[in-house]
């Protein structure tokens, strides 16, 4: 039986994660809506969700382990480095969750443990 890898997390997302989230959200929404979502994320509390549930709610596909960004995050996990929490948006109109920032981290974590609990901010 293989030993489970401990996945370590920062207590808060890094500043650049909010910029990345805003950039992505700007592709989906007008500027005001994207900015409003990004501002709400900054104020949101950290909540925890299982990796497999985030995938189900987002309708995203799992990126392969050959993806360079997923590989980088897997390496961070192996080295015991802390990952930044995910930034999520509830898209109630379309009935799904948008991964505004952290898709590659989500895929990397899932590759180790689909039941891993991931800290997230969700607005």
């Amino acid at each position: 039986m293989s030993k489970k890898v401990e996945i370590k997390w920062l207590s808060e997302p890094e500043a650049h994660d909010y910029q990345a989230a805003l950039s992505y959200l700007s592709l989906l929404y007008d500027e005001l809506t994207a900015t409003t979502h990004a501002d709400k994320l900054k104020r949101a509390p950290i909540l925890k969700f299982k990796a497999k549930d985030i995938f189900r709610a987002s309708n995203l596909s799992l990126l392969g382990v050959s993806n360079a960004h997923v590989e980088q995050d897997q390496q961070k996990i192996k080295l015991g480095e802390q990952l930044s929490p995910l930034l999520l948006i509830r898209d109630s109109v379309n009935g799904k969750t948008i991964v505004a920032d952290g898709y590659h981290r989500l895929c990397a974590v899932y590759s180790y443990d689909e039941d891993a609990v991931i800290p997230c901010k969700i607005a």
Side-chain angles (χ1 to χ4, degrees):
M1 180 181 275
S2 64
K3 181 183 172 192
K4 261 194 177 173
V5 174
E6 180 185 1
I7 301 168
K8 297 179 183 178
W9 297 95
L10 296 170
S11 60
E12 288 289 324
E14 297 178 271
H16 65 86
D17 295 332
Y18 294 104
Q19 265 313 115
L22 177 59
S23 177
Y24 179 72
L25 293 170
S26 295
L27 293 170
L28 302 175
Y29 302 106
D30 61 79
E31 185 178 345
L32 178 61
T33 303
T35 301
T36 299
H37 282 314
D39 289 342
K40 286 181 182 178
L41 284 169
K42 291 176 184 175
R43 297 187 306 274
I46 295 283
L47 301 175
K48 296 181 178 183
F49 301 98
K50 287 186 177 184
K52 65 182 179 186
D53 292 336
I54 297 169
F55 268 113
R56 288 174 55 212
S58 68
N59 293 321
L60 291 171
S61 316
L62 179 64
L63 291 174
V65 293
S66 62
N67 180 282
H69 296 287
V70 174
E71 287 178 357
Q72 288 173 346
D73 288 326
Q74 287 174 324
Q75 189 63 24
K76 286 181 180 181
I77 293 168
K78 286 179 194 173
L79 295 173
E81 295 177 17
Q82 294 177 314
L83 300 177
S84 189
L86 306 186
L87 298 176
L88 310 175
I89 297 293
R90 284 188 177 105
D91 181 357
S92 56
V93 172
N94 295 305
K96 67 178 187 174
T97 299
I98 296 170
V99 179
D101 184 68
Y103 181 35
H104 298 99
R105 293 188 296 278
L106 173 61
C107 292
V109 169
Y110 189 93
S111 72
Y112 280 99
D113 181 5
E114 69 182 37
D115 288 315
V117 176
I118 300 177
C120 308
K121 284 193 168 198
I122 187 166

